[in-house]
Amino acid sequence: MTTATVERTITAFLDGDDSLEIGNIIHSTEGAARFGYTGPLVGGTTVYSWSVAALVEALGDAWLDEGWVEFQIRKPVYPDEVITTRVTPNDNDVEFMMIKHSGDIAVRGTAGLGIADFNTEITSATNRTPQPERPERPFITRDVAPLGEDLPAMAIDLSAAEAARYAEEKASDFDPLWHEANAHVHPGWIAQRANALLAHTWRYTAIHASSQIQHLAPVHPDQQLLVSGRLESGYQRKGHEYAVIDLTITSEDGQELVRMRQPTIYQVGER
């Protein structure tokens, strides 16, 4: 682990089409305006993905094999904003901030090697049998959100080409770690699985609030990954409806690779 501060800077961009045809319209100009935002919100997991290069430089490749991260989204990020990730060593872990050109802190978090204390707090789904995506996905609201219940699990056949494409196009990260033989799957893609699991069953307009992610073993492409989880709980805050998504990513031979907890706004309140 480095003892020096690490910084990386990127100009924010949307990682998808600016259109009301996308699954989560908060990431489009017109959709975000409906909720009182001045522009399309860049996805929280995409913003987090831009911090990974600095975290790997600070903590080393071992962080991908057995390491943890927890972070909070404090301010929305809009396209064309300049974002600087600053990682600062702190005893046995690191603190990091993603700072907008305005000086506002968009993301604040902590990361380290080994097993985090929060790992034991993340619950697991009882049902891990993968299900096909619902042909007609209803819109999730407070009245129908299955809080305290398992979500239908999903199987993902992730190729090396797809994993590398994510690193290049979404995370703007060209490190050989994501491309060479025995490549790793980018942590940004891993963080995005909570949204993907929710979207497997429901339609939504969602905003990423925070994440706790425990890497238990290396995640490699060219295998079928199983994503299972549950809506552990829910709450209201500032007019928003939140759900706490707990999930596990398992390899095709049954090994647990990642455990994650992600509080998400699944029903955005009016501003």
Side-chain angles (χ1 to χ4, degrees):
M1 187 174 80
T2 184
T3 58
T5 297
V6 177
E7 289 193 356
R8 296 288 183 94
T9 298
I10 191 170
T11 300
F13 57 88
L14 285 180
D15 66 353
D17 294 334
D18 189 353
S19 166
L20 288 177
E21 299 302 315
I22 61 176
N24 186 359
I25 64 170
I26 205 78
H27 302 314
S28 69
T29 300
E30 188 175 343
R34 294 181 182 181
F35 296 94
Y37 292 94
T38 58
L41 276 62
V42 179
T45 54
T46 298
V47 175
Y48 161 66
S49 78
W50 299 334
S51 73
V52 166
L55 290 171
V56 170
E57 182 176 342
L59 292 167
D61 298 357
W63 175 66
L64 301 169
D65 299 340
E66 189 179 77
W68 56 271
V69 62
E70 55 183 339
F71 60 91
Q72 301 79 41
I73 310 292
R74 301 171 63 90
K75 294 284 186 181
V77 172
Y78 300 104
D80 298 324
E81 290 190 302
V82 177
I83 307 293
T84 297
T85 300
R86 180 177 300 143
V87 182
T88 307
N90 179 32
D91 295 329
N92 295 323
D93 53 35
V94 299
E95 297 178 350
F96 71 99
M97 296 185 294
M98 302 187 74
I99 307 163
K100 303 169 74 166
H101 64 280
S102 64
D104 290 336
I105 298 173
V107 177
R108 183 189 293 273
T110 310
L113 302 174
I115 304 298
D117 291 341
F118 62 71
N119 181 58
T120 57
E121 300 172 3
I122 300 172
T123 61
S124 299
T126 301
N127 187 352
R128 295 191 177 187
T129 302
Q131 302 293 325
E133 183 180 287
R134 278 188 183 178
E136 297 293 333
R137 293 174 300 139
F139 210 94
I140 189 169
T141 64
R142 183 184 183 187
D143 293 335
V144 299
L147 301 178
E149 299 179 16
D150 289 354
L151 292 164
M154 62 186 298
I156 303 173
D157 292 306
L158 181 64
S159 70
E162 290 171 318
R165 190 177 305 115
Y166 172 89
E168 293 180 0
E169 297 179 1
K170 308 289 188 179
S172 195
D173 190 337
F174 298 87
D175 193 299
L177 279 167
W178 326 122
H179 303 272
E180 292 186 344
N182 206 35
H184 285 70
V185 175
H186 197 279
W189 185 93
I190 291 169
Q192 203 174 59
R193 291 317 95 195
N195 293 337
L197 183 62
L198 190 62
H200 189 58
T201 305
W202 302 93
R203 295 170 56 215
Y204 56 74
T205 300
I207 299 177
H208 187 170
S210 63
S211 285
Q212 293 176 311
I213 304 171
Q214 177 68 63
H215 301 279
L216 296 168
V219 183
H220 299 298
D222 282 337
Q223 65 171 315
Q224 185 177 85
L225 298 171
L226 176 69
V227 182
S228 61
R230 53 190 280 113
L231 288 187
E232 175 58 23
S233 59
Y235 56 93
Q236 288 183 305
R237 180 179 294 169
K238 297 182 178 179
H240 301 308
E241 295 288 343
Y242 287 77
V244 178
I245 305 171
D246 282 2
L247 68 82
T248 304
I249 300 177
T250 309
S251 69
E252 60 188 13
D253 62 3
Q255 181 183 15
E256 289 195 356
L257 304 175
V258 179
R259 290 166 61 81
M260 185 188 322
R261 169 165 286 179
Q262 180 172 301
T264 293
I265 298 172
Y266 67 88
Q267 189 171 349
V268 182
E270 295 183 3
R271 302 178 79 203

